[in-house]
PDB file of all heavy atoms in Angstrom:
ATOM      1  N   VAL A1745      17.638  -5.163  17.275  1.00 98.00           N
ATOM      2  CA  VAL A1745      16.399  -5.618  16.791  1.00 98.00           C
ATOM      3  C   VAL A1745      16.254  -5.282  15.272  1.00 98.00           C
ATOM      4  O   VAL A1745      16.574  -4.197  14.883  1.00 98.00           O
ATOM      5  CB  VAL A1745      15.276  -4.814  17.533  1.00 98.00           C
ATOM      6  CG1 VAL A1745      13.892  -5.297  17.034  1.00 98.00           C
ATOM      7  CG2 VAL A1745      15.389  -4.952  19.023  1.00 98.00           C
ATOM      8  N   ILE A1746      15.946  -6.293  14.500  1.00 98.00           N
ATOM      9  CA  ILE A1746      15.840  -6.195  13.055  1.00 98.00           C
ATOM     10  C   ILE A1746      14.439  -6.396  12.586  1.00 98.00           C
ATOM     11  O   ILE A1746      13.683  -7.385  12.956  1.00 98.00           O
ATOM     12  CB  ILE A1746      16.692  -7.224  12.326  1.00 98.00           C
ATOM     13  CG1 ILE A1746      17.978  -7.343  13.071  1.00 98.00           C
ATOM     14  CG2 ILE A1746      16.793  -6.896  10.932  1.00 98.00           C
ATOM     15  CD1 ILE A1746      18.855  -6.048  12.928  1.00 98.00           C
ATOM     16  N   SER A1747      13.856  -5.320  11.929  1.00 98.00           N
ATOM     17  CA  SER A1747      12.579  -5.532  11.166  1.00 98.00           C
ATOM     18  C   SER A1747      12.779  -6.239   9.842  1.00 98.00           C
ATOM     19  O   SER A1747      13.498  -5.727   9.008  1.00 98.00           O
ATOM     20  CB  SER A1747      11.892  -4.203  10.927  1.00 98.00           C
ATOM     21  OG  SER A1747      11.482  -3.684  12.164  1.00 98.00           O
ATOM     22  N   VAL A1748      12.069  -7.353   9.668  1.00 98.00           N
ATOM     23  CA  VAL A1748      12.390  -8.148   8.374  1.00 98.00           C
ATOM     24  C   VAL A1748      10.912  -8.009   7.637  1.00 98.00           C
ATOM     25  O   VAL A1748       9.912  -8.729   8.017  1.00 98.00           O
ATOM     26  CB  VAL A1748      12.662  -9.549   8.549  1.00 98.00           C
ATOM     27  CG1 VAL A1748      12.786 -10.299   7.285  1.00 98.00           C
ATOM     28  CG2 VAL A1748      13.961  -9.651   9.462  1.00 98.00           C
ATOM     29  N   ILE A1749      10.942  -7.164   6.570  1.00 98.00           N
ATOM     30  CA  ILE A1749       9.584  -6.927   5.760  1.00 98.00           C
ATOM     31  C   ILE A1749       9.643  -7.792   4.544  1.00 98.00           C
ATOM     32  O   ILE A1749      10.311  -7.496   3.590  1.00 98.00           O
ATOM     33  CB  ILE A1749       9.622  -5.464   5.523  1.00 98.00           C
ATOM     34  CG1 ILE A1749       9.702  -4.553   6.620  1.00 98.00           C
ATOM     35  CG2 ILE A1749       8.192  -5.169   4.758  1.00 98.00           C
ATOM     36  CD1 ILE A1749       9.600  -3.071   6.397  1.00 98.00           C
ATOM     37  N   ARG A1750       8.747  -8.756   4.623  1.00 97.00           N
ATOM     38  CA  ARG A1750       8.708  -9.776   3.497  1.00 97.00           C
ATOM     39  C   ARG A1750       7.501  -9.478   2.615  1.00 97.00           C
ATOM     40  O   ARG A1750       7.424  -9.976   1.559  1.00 97.00           O
ATOM     41  CB  ARG A1750       8.742 -11.161   3.952  1.00 97.00           C
ATOM     42  CG  ARG A1750      10.015 -11.660   4.557  1.00 97.00           C
ATOM     43  CD  ARG A1750      10.137 -13.195   4.684  1.00 97.00           C
ATOM     44  NE  ARG A1750       9.744 -13.702   5.869  1.00 97.00           N
ATOM     45  CZ  ARG A1750      10.002 -14.911   6.364  1.00 97.00           C
ATOM     46  NH1 ARG A1750      10.724 -15.629   5.765  1.00 97.00           N
ATOM     47  NH2 ARG A1750       9.553 -15.168   7.614  1.00 97.00           N
ATOM     48  N   GLY A1751       6.555  -8.791   3.174  1.00 97.00           N
ATOM     49  CA  GLY A1751       5.349  -8.329   2.461  1.00 97.00           C
ATOM     50  C   GLY A1751       5.096  -6.848   2.494  1.00 97.00           C
ATOM     51  O   GLY A1751       5.811  -6.104   3.214  1.00 97.00           O
ATOM     52  N   ASN A1752       4.066  -6.435   1.921  1.00 98.00           N
ATOM     53  CA  ASN A1752       3.818  -4.933   1.743  1.00 98.00           C
ATOM     54  C   ASN A1752       3.577  -4.389   3.120  1.00 98.00           C
ATOM     55  O   ASN A1752       3.106  -5.116   4.050  1.00 98.00           O
ATOM     56  CB  ASN A1752       2.702  -4.628   0.752  1.00 98.00           C
ATOM     57  CG  ASN A1752       3.021  -5.090  -0.625  1.00 98.00           C
ATOM     58  OD1 ASN A1752       4.078  -5.170  -1.029  1.00 98.00           O
ATOM     59  ND2 ASN A1752       1.931  -5.135  -1.379  1.00 98.00           N
ATOM     60  N   ALA A1753       3.737  -3.018   3.314  1.00 98.00           N
ATOM     61  CA  ALA A1753       3.610  -2.430   4.549  1.00 98.00           C
ATOM     62  C   ALA A1753       2.981  -0.933   4.218  1.00 98.00           C
ATOM     63  O   ALA A1753       3.428  -0.310   3.275  1.00 98.00           O
ATOM     64  CB  ALA A1753       4.753  -2.179   5.288  1.00 98.00           C
ATOM     65  N   GLY A1754       2.141  -0.504   5.061  1.00 97.00           N
ATOM     66  CA  GLY A1754       1.512   0.804   4.846  1.00 97.00           C
ATOM     67  C   GLY A1754       1.230   1.532   6.131  1.00 97.00           C
ATOM     68  O   GLY A1754       1.137   0.960   7.205  1.00 97.00           O
ATOM     69  N   ALA A1755       1.114   2.819   5.988  1.00 96.00           N
ATOM     70  CA  ALA A1755       0.816   3.805   7.182  1.00 96.00           C
ATOM     71  C   ALA A1755       1.686   3.366   8.462  1.00 96.00           C
ATOM     72  O   ALA A1755       2.807   3.458   8.404  1.00 96.00           O
ATOM     73  CB  ALA A1755      -0.748   3.625   7.436  1.00 96.00           C
ATOM     74  N   GLY A1756       0.974   3.307   9.550  1.00 97.00           N
ATOM     75  CA  GLY A1756       1.702   2.995  10.722  1.00 97.00           C
ATOM     76  C   GLY A1756       2.487   1.794  10.768  1.00 97.00           C
ATOM     77  O   GLY A1756       3.395   1.664  11.512  1.00 97.00           O
TER      78      GLY A1756
END
Side-chain angles (χ1 to χ4, degrees):
V1745 182
I1746 313 297
S1747 294
V1748 182
I1749 305 180
R1750 292 198 269 200
N1752 295 342

